[in-house]
mmCIF file of all heavy atoms in Angstrom:
data_model
loop_
_atom_site.group_PDB
_atom_site.id
_atom_site.type_symbol
_atom_site.label_atom_id
_atom_site.label_comp_id
_atom_site.label_asym_id
_atom_site.label_seq_id
_atom_site.Cartn_x
_atom_site.Cartn_y
_atom_site.Cartn_z
ATOM 1 N N MET U 79 93.216 97.764 98.960
ATOM 2 C CA MET U 79 92.274 96.839 99.591
ATOM 3 C C MET U 79 90.825 97.278 99.384
ATOM 4 O O MET U 79 89.896 96.478 99.499
ATOM 5 C CB MET U 79 92.584 96.725 101.092
ATOM 6 C CG MET U 79 93.946 96.146 101.392
ATOM 7 S SD MET U 79 94.303 96.133 103.165
ATOM 8 C CE MET U 79 93.021 95.051 103.773
ATOM 9 N N GLY U 80 90.664 98.545 99.053
ATOM 10 C CA GLY U 80 89.341 99.046 98.757
ATOM 11 C C GLY U 80 88.593 99.596 99.963
ATOM 12 O O GLY U 80 88.938 99.326 101.119
ATOM 13 N N LYS U 81 87.576 100.392 99.669
ATOM 14 C CA LYS U 81 86.663 100.895 100.681
ATOM 15 C C LYS U 81 85.227 100.765 100.162
ATOM 16 O O LYS U 81 84.945 101.111 99.010
ATOM 17 C CB LYS U 81 86.939 102.368 101.009
ATOM 18 C CG LYS U 81 88.231 102.630 101.750
ATOM 19 C CD LYS U 81 88.363 104.112 102.097
ATOM 20 C CE LYS U 81 89.651 104.404 102.869
ATOM 21 N NZ LYS U 81 89.760 105.840 103.231
ATOM 22 N N ALA U 82 84.360 100.262 101.015
ATOM 23 C CA ALA U 82 82.933 100.204 100.716
ATOM 24 C C ALA U 82 82.238 101.219 101.602
ATOM 25 O O ALA U 82 82.244 101.094 102.831
ATOM 26 C CB ALA U 82 82.389 98.801 100.968
ATOM 27 N N TYR U 83 81.665 102.245 100.982
ATOM 28 C CA TYR U 83 81.059 103.361 101.714
ATOM 29 C C TYR U 83 79.562 103.120 101.882
ATOM 30 O O TYR U 83 78.839 102.902 100.905
ATOM 31 C CB TYR U 83 81.278 104.661 100.963
ATOM 32 C CG TYR U 83 82.723 105.101 100.848
ATOM 33 C CD1 TYR U 83 83.471 104.773 99.713
ATOM 34 C CD2 TYR U 83 83.331 105.857 101.837
ATOM 35 C CE1 TYR U 83 84.792 105.171 99.587
ATOM 36 C CE2 TYR U 83 84.650 106.266 101.730
ATOM 37 C CZ TYR U 83 85.370 105.920 100.596
ATOM 38 O OH TYR U 83 86.689 106.327 100.472
ATOM 39 N N TYR U 84 79.086 103.199 103.108
ATOM 40 C CA TYR U 84 77.667 103.041 103.431
ATOM 41 C C TYR U 84 77.035 104.427 103.532
ATOM 42 O O TYR U 84 77.501 105.267 104.302
ATOM 43 C CB TYR U 84 77.505 102.287 104.734
ATOM 44 C CG TYR U 84 77.911 100.834 104.642
ATOM 45 C CD1 TYR U 84 79.255 100.463 104.653
ATOM 46 C CD2 TYR U 84 76.950 99.825 104.539
ATOM 47 C CE1 TYR U 84 79.620 99.125 104.561
ATOM 48 C CE2 TYR U 84 77.321 98.494 104.454
ATOM 49 C CZ TYR U 84 78.656 98.152 104.466
ATOM 50 O OH TYR U 84 79.027 96.833 104.376
ATOM 51 N N ILE U 85 75.988 104.631 102.774
ATOM 52 C CA ILE U 85 75.451 105.988 102.574
ATOM 53 C C ILE U 85 73.964 106.018 102.824
ATOM 54 O O ILE U 85 73.223 105.099 102.447
ATOM 55 C CB ILE U 85 75.758 106.450 101.124
ATOM 56 C CG1 ILE U 85 77.282 106.537 100.913
ATOM 57 C CG2 ILE U 85 75.089 107.783 100.818
ATOM 58 C CD1 ILE U 85 77.685 106.704 99.463
ATOM 59 N N ARG U 86 73.520 107.096 103.444
ATOM 60 C CA ARG U 86 72.090 107.395 103.584
ATOM 61 C C ARG U 86 71.784 108.646 102.778
ATOM 62 O O ARG U 86 72.596 109.576 102.718
ATOM 63 C CB ARG U 86 71.715 107.610 105.044
ATOM 64 C CG ARG U 86 71.876 106.387 105.940
ATOM 65 C CD ARG U 86 71.555 106.728 107.374
ATOM 66 N NE ARG U 86 70.153 107.148 107.500
ATOM 67 C CZ ARG U 86 69.679 107.794 108.555
ATOM 68 N NH1 ARG U 86 70.484 108.120 109.559
ATOM 69 N NH2 ARG U 86 68.400 108.120 108.619
ATOM 70 N N THR U 87 70.612 108.661 102.175
ATOM 71 C CA THR U 87 70.192 109.837 101.392
ATOM 72 C C THR U 87 69.029 110.517 102.112
ATOM 73 O O THR U 87 68.012 109.882 102.405
ATOM 74 C CB THR U 87 69.747 109.426 99.987
ATOM 75 O OG1 THR U 87 70.838 108.744 99.337
ATOM 76 C CG2 THR U 87 69.343 110.637 99.166
ATOM 77 N N TYR U 88 69.223 111.779 102.414
ATOM 78 C CA TYR U 88 68.147 112.583 103.004
ATOM 79 C C TYR U 88 68.447 114.045 102.735
ATOM 80 O O TYR U 88 69.586 114.424 102.446
ATOM 81 C CB TYR U 88 67.987 112.314 104.506
ATOM 82 C CG TYR U 88 69.226 112.519 105.339
ATOM 83 C CD1 TYR U 88 69.559 113.774 105.877
ATOM 84 C CD2 TYR U 88 70.096 111.454 105.595
ATOM 85 C CE1 TYR U 88 70.695 113.956 106.645
ATOM 86 C CE2 TYR U 88 71.237 111.628 106.361
ATOM 87 C CZ TYR U 88 71.525 112.878 106.893
ATOM 88 O OH TYR U 88 72.664 113.060 107.639
ATOM 89 N N GLY U 89 67.402 114.867 102.793
ATOM 90 C CA GLY U 89 67.587 116.287 102.509
ATOM 91 C C GLY U 89 68.031 116.538 101.070
ATOM 92 O O GLY U 89 68.656 117.561 100.771
ATOM 93 N N GLY U 90 67.748 115.557 100.192
ATOM 94 C CA GLY U 90 68.084 115.731 98.787
ATOM 95 C C GLY U 90 69.533 115.446 98.438
ATOM 96 O O GLY U 90 69.945 115.711 97.293
ATOM 97 N N GLU U 91 70.330 114.901 99.381
ATOM 98 C CA GLU U 91 71.712 114.583 99.056
ATOM 99 C C GLU U 91 72.195 113.394 99.874
ATOM 100 O O GLU U 91 71.585 112.994 100.872
ATOM 101 C CB GLU U 91 72.631 115.795 99.297
ATOM 102 C CG GLU U 91 72.600 116.321 100.714
ATOM 103 C CD GLU U 91 73.390 117.626 100.845
ATOM 104 O OE1 GLU U 91 73.957 118.092 99.837
ATOM 105 O OE2 GLU U 91 73.455 118.155 101.963
ATOM 106 N N ARG U 92 73.292 112.827 99.424
ATOM 107 C CA ARG U 92 73.864 111.675 100.095
ATOM 108 C C ARG U 92 74.678 112.073 101.318
ATOM 109 O O ARG U 92 75.320 113.126 101.329
ATOM 110 C CB ARG U 92 74.765 110.882 99.134
ATOM 111 C CG ARG U 92 74.022 110.232 97.982
ATOM 112 C CD ARG U 92 74.986 109.508 97.054
ATOM 113 N NE ARG U 92 74.287 108.827 95.961
ATOM 114 C CZ ARG U 92 74.875 108.123 95.023
ATOM 115 N NH1 ARG U 92 76.202 108.004 95.027
ATOM 116 N NH2 ARG U 92 74.156 107.527 94.070
ATOM 117 N N HIS U 93 74.649 111.185 102.323
ATOM 118 C CA HIS U 93 75.442 111.411 103.522
ATOM 119 C C HIS U 93 76.171 110.105 103.868
ATOM 120 O O HIS U 93 75.541 109.127 104.277
ATOM 121 C CB HIS U 93 74.556 111.858 104.686
ATOM 122 C CG HIS U 93 73.887 113.170 104.450
ATOM 123 N ND1 HIS U 93 74.459 114.370 104.784
ATOM 124 C CD2 HIS U 93 72.690 113.457 103.850
ATOM 125 C CE1 HIS U 93 73.647 115.368 104.433
ATOM 126 N NE2 HIS U 93 72.567 114.837 103.869
#
Side-chain angles (χ1 to χ4, degrees):
M79 297 176 62
K81 291 183 179 181
Y83 295 94
Y84 291 77
I85 297 168
R86 295 177 63 196
T87 302
Y88 56 88
E91 58 187 0
R92 293 178 178 180
H93 296 271

